[in-house]
Amino acid sequence: MHDDRLNYVLREFIAADYVETECSEYLLTEDQDSGYTELMLYIQGENLCIARYDKKNRCGFWKREQQNGLSKCVDHAILQHTRDGWILHMIEMKGRMDNRKWFDVRLKNRASYFDMRSFCAALGIHIQAVYAYTTYAEDRFSTIENRTNPRTMAAPLGKRCIDPIREWSQGKMRVTVGLNEELVISHRAIQMERRDGVLKGELVI
């Protein structure tokens, strides 16, 4: 249940179909080339769920170049209100994960974080913490690719080299969000089960 101020903003300024009707559980889906994914999300407390976030309009002022990845976004975004403040949960759905796809996931999470901050500014709420999740069926990370791919061997001057295997295994995603400023996002990998051709799993937050 939202307070009067938030309800007013949602009713007067936000497109009616942008945010799902508030529930304690959501079936989040993604239809991609590698198959169909269904994630059952169970959530406690007040929340705002933007399902199929990647299919919806977002802020138009970003510099949408391939290099910075700001044209991308995650599949689903959820805001959860706790006693400590609002938490942003970002969910990306993949069939297979590997070194190259991890770079793509990182860019999607950063772009979505920027965009959701703008959305929250319109709602008048402040993001207190950020969590990212990636659903997957197969783990194809390779230490050999780390040694042979120049992108992971050396970073541009003044930038940190990214080790996708280390970030994936340690559950920490470090993304640049400003001059000499990094955001460390807690990341959880969710391995799905394939049942009747559908990748299925659940998440409790």
Side-chain angles (χ1 to χ4, degrees):
M1 181 74 71
H2 309 309
D3 61 26
D4 291 341
R5 179 194 53 78
L6 184 52
N7 274 327
Y8 177 85
V9 175
L10 290 169
R11 183 179 64 251
E12 296 295 327
F13 305 135
I14 306 300
D17 59 350
Y18 199 79
V19 178
E20 301 295 306
T21 301
E22 187 180 24
C23 295
S24 59
E25 56 185 64
Y26 300 92
L27 179 61
L28 303 177
T29 64
E30 175 65 10
D31 191 7
Q32 50 193 351
D33 294 339
S34 57
Y36 189 76
T37 298
E38 291 183 351
L39 179 71
M40 198 68 214
L41 172 67
Y42 300 95
I43 184 168
Q44 295 182 344
E46 180 185 4
N47 64 85
L48 296 163
C49 177
I50 308 176
R52 302 184 71 81
Y53 179 50
D54 59 330
K55 304 296 190 296
K56 295 181 176 177
N57 291 330
R58 301 182 303 282
C59 294
F61 50 74
W62 299 118
K63 200 174 180 183
R64 301 188 187 278
E65 298 174 349
Q66 185 175 0
Q67 184 179 3
N68 61 33
L70 292 179
S71 61
K72 304 172 181 285
C73 75
V74 296
D75 295 311
H76 309 282
I78 301 96
L79 290 162
Q80 179 185 33
H81 195 198
T82 69
R83 72 176 69 180
D84 297 323
W86 285 90
I87 300 173
L88 170 61
H89 303 276
M90 300 181 290
I91 301 172
E92 176 64 12
M93 294 177 164
K94 296 290 187 186
R96 182 180 68 198
M97 278 301 300
D98 55 31
N99 301 47
R100 181 185 59 81
K101 287 187 177 180
W102 179 246
F103 285 101
D104 185 58
V105 168
R106 296 176 82 262
L107 290 176
K108 286 185 174 185
N109 276 277
R110 182 177 68 169
S112 301
Y113 167 73
F114 282 148
D115 198 75
M116 287 299 295
R117 277 179 56 185
S118 301
F119 179 63
C120 287
L123 298 179
I125 63 179
H126 175 70
I127 297 173
Q128 196 71 23
V130 185
Y131 294 92
Y133 310 83
T134 305
T135 69
Y136 73 104
E138 298 177 73
D139 176 344
R140 297 280 187 89
F141 285 96
S142 169
T143 55
I144 295 175
E145 185 176 344
N146 263 10
R147 292 195 296 268
T148 59
N149 185 352
R151 188 177 184 183
T152 61
M153 290 295 291
L157 185 63
K159 294 189 178 181
R160 183 177 54 81
C161 185
I162 296 163
D163 184 339
I165 298 176
R166 178 178 296 176
E167 286 198 336
W168 176 263
S169 61
Q170 292 183 351
K172 297 290 183 184
M173 181 189 302
R174 291 172 171 82
V175 295
T176 301
V177 295
L179 180 63
N180 301 320
E181 183 182 356
E182 277 190 337
L183 173 69
V184 180
I185 303 174
S186 295
H187 175 264
R188 179 179 167 188
I190 304 172
Q191 188 163 20
M192 310 290 273
E193 292 184 10
R194 193 176 296 277
R195 304 177 206 154
D196 300 323
V198 178
L199 295 178
K200 295 189 176 185
E202 68 177 44
L203 172 62
V204 179
I205 56 177

